[in-house]
Amino acid sequence: MLENRMHLTPRLRTIMAQVPDGARLADIGTDHALIPAALLRRGKIKTAIASDIRQGPLDSAARTARQFGLENQISLRLGAGMCTIQPEEADTIVIAGMGGETIAQILEDDSWALDGNHLLLLQPMTAQPFLRQYLAAHGGAIEKESLCREGKRMYTVMTVRGGSQLQEKSLPECCISKALLSDPMAEVYLKRLLEREENITASLEKASNQKPEELALHRGNVQVLRDAMSQIGKEG
């Protein structure tokens, strides 16, 4: 199978599953360019741009393109964020494998990505609440949030479209998204988050040098997660 030959991880396959047929794809921070290569081989996308800030990953992307005979179908670009592409070159943009704050900064630097004309597939490794908060404040609606398991870790892939009403949300409100609750693995994921937040909150409450703002944040996270768990229970 193609996935085996390319050694696609569950995380990459989850991202690929959200790419629409016939998309013009830009993969930002492409690394080995496995996503565009696999999608081109399937005939699922029309065009592909693979961009990275460092030459090393771009060299790896070039090797992938050569290995699968895609040298003339993947446009390799060297540069930071989305500065390497023009808005009209892509309708679907993948930004994966980075921290949520880094992804938010990339979107901040090239705000056209949230104009409503582009589908964004965002896979933050950290700071997911921060990224959700940024999206809400800049009109990015999370249409779907998909979970996948890779070893002991669970990852989330946000399918986002810009052009929505701007919303100011607190970080606890962005601890999860409503879209995430529809995923089959949502309950397992929420239990993990809740256990972690409860442990952090308990430690902060016992600390001699308490930080009120930090404690309030984690208490807020616990409440949001408990409420979400109760919603899943009622749906079941």
Side-chain angles (χ1 to χ4, degrees):
M1 292 177 63
L2 179 61
E3 287 85 355
N4 293 332
R5 290 175 57 194
M6 287 191 170
H7 304 293
L8 296 174
T9 64
R11 182 173 61 90
L12 296 185
R13 290 198 297 268
T14 301
I15 296 167
M16 289 169 53
Q18 312 310 314
V19 177
D21 290 340
R24 292 177 292 120
L25 182 76
D27 185 16
I28 307 302
T30 192
D31 199 7
H32 289 74
L34 293 178
I35 289 176
L39 292 171
L40 283 168
R41 292 271 290 178
R42 292 180 179 182
K44 187 170 183 178
I45 59 176
K46 291 181 179 178
T47 61
I49 297 170
S51 180
D52 208 285
I53 193 172
R54 294 180 295 139
Q55 186 63 51
L58 211 61
D59 290 341
S60 297
R63 286 194 292 272
T64 298
R66 287 195 300 271
Q67 179 182 354
F68 295 99
L70 300 170
E71 301 98 317
N72 298 324
Q73 296 183 63
I74 299 179
S75 176
L76 302 177
R77 312 277 177 92
L78 178 64
M82 291 183 290
C83 74
T84 60
I85 64 175
Q86 296 299 313
E88 64 275 9
E89 288 188 288
D91 52 39
T92 303
I93 299 170
V94 172
I95 311 177
M98 308 175 198
E101 293 177 343
T102 300
I103 293 175
Q105 186 60 57
I106 289 173
L107 297 175
E108 180 72 14
D109 292 341
D110 290 282
S111 58
W112 56 260
L114 285 168
D115 60 6
N117 297 320
H118 299 83
L119 185 69
L120 308 181
L121 302 178
L122 311 178
Q123 190 276 300
M125 303 293 280
T126 60
Q128 291 88 351
F130 179 91
L131 179 57
R132 294 189 192 102
Q133 185 183 51
Y134 177 87
L135 291 170
H138 293 80
I142 301 177
E143 299 178 344
K144 183 177 182 181
E145 190 159 359
S146 307
L147 293 165
C148 69
R149 192 193 305 269
E150 198 167 294
K152 294 183 179 180
R153 293 194 64 177
M154 293 184 74
Y155 297 97
T156 178
V157 177
M158 303 174 188
T159 303
V160 177
R161 177 80 64 177
S164 296
Q165 183 178 357
L166 309 188
Q167 300 180 63
E168 294 298 327
K169 292 186 175 183
S170 67
L171 273 177
E173 288 179 291
C174 298
C175 187
I176 56 169
S177 70
K178 289 183 179 179
L180 184 146
L181 299 181
S182 300
D183 190 276
M185 290 191 288
E187 186 170 5
V188 174
Y189 185 69
L190 292 181
K191 282 181 178 178
R192 288 189 181 188
L193 288 183
L194 180 57
E195 182 179 2
R196 184 185 71 184
E197 289 298 326
E198 287 177 334
N199 289 337
I200 293 173
T201 301
S203 295
L204 290 172
E205 288 173 341
K206 294 176 182 177
S208 56
N209 55 338
Q210 284 190 5
K211 299 178 181 178
E213 290 185 2
E214 186 177 0
L215 180 56
L217 169 64
H218 290 285
R219 280 176 171 167
N221 290 344
V222 167
Q223 188 59 56
V224 168
L225 290 167
R226 285 177 177 170
D227 291 345
M229 289 290 293
S230 67
Q231 290 179 38
I232 291 178
K234 289 176 183 177
E235 290 174 4

